Structure formats: structure tokens, C-alpha cells
């Protein structure tokens, strides 16, 4: 018989067929692996961490007209068909509802360690070389300009403004990616994020040098 984790992998792969490249099965696989790596250094419930990592983008509101209720419904229906306790289901649903960067102002101050772990893993996949790749892919998907020297980044956007933003891809670095290193919850997360942060600074430097042909 297959384990719950194996069933979940199969379910998520099937659900994410055809997803935008930055939010596809390989994003989930990286977040799952990063979550395990971080979890190895923390005192936590491994099953909750792995299930939440696998299910965290099952129906991203960005791709479902902003509807935030779809993902928890799909995850609950799936988990109820598995050998998982109601207590674990509730923990996983809490995590997938509250993990998002754009919801960060609404989330309760004290978070369960399992949420902190998966959130760090998801944020790590948003930075570094992979983060750069994902961000340009998303910008292309939205048909946003790569860069416009006339358009300044808008910091402190409300959740609504952030979601609606169709600014440039380079501005997204200042509006989100470069802020993530200071939002890490765990020691391991901070370490990995710092190295990837420095790599992005180097990328931006080079980008402006090449943009400003003299
Ligand atoms: P979350 O899914 O955690 O709420 P976001 O909605 O900010 O996070 O998006 C996840 C990823 O999608 C980002 O890390 C980035 O790669 C890409 N993305 C989101 N919004 C933009 C944008 N306006 N421009 C470019 N990339 C974006
Ligand atoms: Ni994600």
C-alpha cells in the first residue's frame, strides 16, 4: 500500500499539470525538500510539515480570481480520503491558509513551528537564481515589462494593491524578493536565504550595468 505522502505527491502532480512554471510541481518538490531540510533542525511534526509543503499551492488564489477558499476545500476533501487524523488536517489547513506573503499583515503573531518551516521553504524558493527565474517567468506570463527606469517600486503596498500590481519585474525585487531575508523564521532558513539574497544583489548590479549601455 502506498503511504499518505506518496498519495499526496501523486495528487498534487496531477492537479498542477499545465501550471505556470514558477508555481508548478517542481516548485512544490523544491519547497517539500527544503521543508524537510529545515525541519531536520527543528522540533516539529514531520507529517504536518510534509503535507503542508505538498499542498500549499494546490489552488493559488492568483490563478483562481483571488478566491482564497478553494485551496483549503480541495486539501480537506483530499485529506479526508487519507489515513490522516482530524487534528493533522486542521493543522495543515491552517498552514495553507496563512502561509502567503501577501497575507502577512493579517496573520496571528504566534505561529506554529510547522508553518514557520514551510513558509521559510516557500520564501527561499522565491529568492536566488530560482527566484530570479520564477519572477521573470511570472512577469512574462502577465506580460509585464521587465524594467522601466521611469517606474519606481511601491513599498508598503496594501494586500489589494500588491495583488493588483502590474509593475515591472525588476520592481518586484524591491517590493518582495529583497525583503524576504529579514522575514525568515528559522536559523537554517536565514542561512540559506542570506546566500541567495547576496546572489540577487549581484544580479541586479549586472542587470543595471548591461541596461545602461554607454
Ligand atoms: P505568495 O504565493 O507567497 O503569496 P506571491 O503572490 O508574491 O507569493 O508570488 C509568488 C511568486 O510569484 C513570487 O516569488 C514571484 O516569483 C512571482 N510573482 C508574484 N508577483 C509577481 C510580480 N508582480 N512580478 C513578478 N513576479 C511575481
Ligand atoms: Ni509556493
Amino acid at each position: 500500500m502506498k503511504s499518505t505522502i506518496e498519495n499526496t505527491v501523486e495528487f498534487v502532480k496531477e492537479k498542477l499539470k499545465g501550471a505556470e512554471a514558477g508555481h508548478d510541481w517542481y516548485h512544490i518538490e523544491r519547497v517539500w525538500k527544503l521543508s524537510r531540510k529545515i525541519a531536520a533542525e527543528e522540533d516539529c511534526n514531520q507529517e504536518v510539515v510534509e503535507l503542508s509543503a505538498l499542498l500549499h499551492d494546490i489552488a493559488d488564489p492568483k490563478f483562481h480570481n483571488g478566491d482564497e477558499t478553494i485551496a483549503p476545500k480541495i486539501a480537506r476533501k483530499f485529506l479526508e480520503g487519507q489515513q490522516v487524523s482530524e487534528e493533522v488536517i486542521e493543522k495543515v489547513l491552517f498552514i495553507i491558509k496563512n502561509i502567503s506573503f501577501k497575507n502577512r499583515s493579517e496573520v496571528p503573531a504566534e505561529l506554529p513551528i510547522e508553518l514557520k518551516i514551510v513558509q521559510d521553504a516557500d520564501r527561499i524558493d522565491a529568492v536566488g537564481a530560482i527566484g530570479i527565474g520564477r519572477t521573470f517567468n511570472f512577469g512574462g506570463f502577465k506580460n509585464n515589462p521587465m524594467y522601466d527606469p521611469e517606474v519606481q517600486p511601491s513599498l508598503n503596498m496594501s494586500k489589494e494593491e500588491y495583488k493588483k500590481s502590474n509593475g515591472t519585474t525588476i520592481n518586484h525585487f524591491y517590493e518582495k524578493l529583497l525583503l524576504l531575508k529579514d522575514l525568515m523564521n528559522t536559523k537554517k532558513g536565514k542561512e540559506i536565504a542570506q546566500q541567495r539574497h547576496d546572489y540577487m544583489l549581484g544580479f541586479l548590479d549586472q542587470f543595471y550595468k548591461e541596461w545602461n549601455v554607454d
Side-chain angles (χ1 to χ4, degrees):
M1 216 181 93
K2 283 204 205 131
S3 70
T4 301
I5 296 295
E6 284 168 332
N7 289 337
T8 312
V9 167
E10 210 167 90
F11 174 74
V12 173
K13 271 188 185 163
E14 184 55 37
K15 269 269 171 230
L16 292 181
K17 272 203 178 129
E20 179 265 323
H23 293 84
D24 61 0
W25 160 251
Y26 290 108
H27 162 64
I28 305 302
E29 189 180 47
R30 292 189 300 268
V31 172
W32 179 32
K33 289 184 181 166
L34 284 163
S35 297
R36 284 199 301 224
K37 206 192 257 276
I38 300 170
E41 298 192 0
E42 303 289 335
D43 181 11
C44 63
N45 181 327
Q46 179 88 12
E47 185 185 26
V48 171
V49 167
E50 294 201 35
L51 290 175
S52 306
L54 287 167
L55 291 165
H56 85 275
D57 274 335
I58 196 68
D60 191 321
K62 279 196 280 312
F63 305 112
H64 292 85
N65 293 320
D67 191 336
E68 295 181 7
T69 65
I70 302 177
K73 278 188 211 141
I74 296 179
R76 169 169 282 285
K77 190 152 172 272
F78 167 74
L79 290 171
E80 282 177 350
Q82 301 297 314
Q83 303 282 45
V84 181
S85 69
E86 177 59 27
E87 195 195 335
V88 167
I89 297 182
E90 278 176 16
K91 286 186 176 158
V92 171
L93 295 190
F94 179 82
I95 294 175
I96 64 179
K97 281 184 208 158
N98 291 299
I99 190 176
S100 176
F101 177 79
K102 63 189 164 307
N103 292 342
R104 67 197 180 288
S105 55
E106 300 164 4
V107 172
E110 204 31 61
L111 300 171
I113 181 65
E114 292 81 8
L115 187 153
K116 292 184 180 175
I117 293 169
V118 181
Q119 188 173 60
D120 276 8
D122 196 28
R123 288 174 172 173
I124 288 171
D125 203 55
V127 295
I130 294 278
I132 295 170
R134 291 179 71 211
T135 301
F136 279 92
N137 196 76
F138 187 88
F141 182 77
K142 289 270 179 191
N143 202 22
N144 291 341
M146 274 206 303
Y147 176 52
D148 184 339
E150 310 277 311
V151 183
Q152 294 308 307
S154 29
L155 298 174
N156 304 315
M157 276 186 281
S158 70
K159 178 176 167 186
E160 287 317 308
E161 287 162 343
Y162 179 82
K163 282 199 301 193
K164 276 202 288 247
S165 164
N166 45 9
T168 72
T169 300
I170 287 291
N171 279 352
H172 193 65
F173 284 73
Y174 301 94
E175 290 161 356
K176 175 181 177 187
L177 309 187
L178 295 171
L179 310 178
L180 294 178
K181 130 181 117 53
D182 292 328
L183 295 173
M184 289 291 144
N185 306 301
T186 64
K187 186 164 162 281
K188 185 82 191 157
K190 281 191 185 111
E191 248 168 63
I192 308 175
Q194 180 67 56
Q195 185 249 331
R196 295 186 183 205
H197 179 87
D198 296 341
Y199 183 85
M200 290 194 296
L201 293 179
F203 168 81
L204 287 169
D205 229 31
Q206 178 76 13
F207 187 95
Y208 298 128
K209 269 194 204 127
E210 294 180 11
W211 185 278
N212 296 306
V213 177
D214 50 24

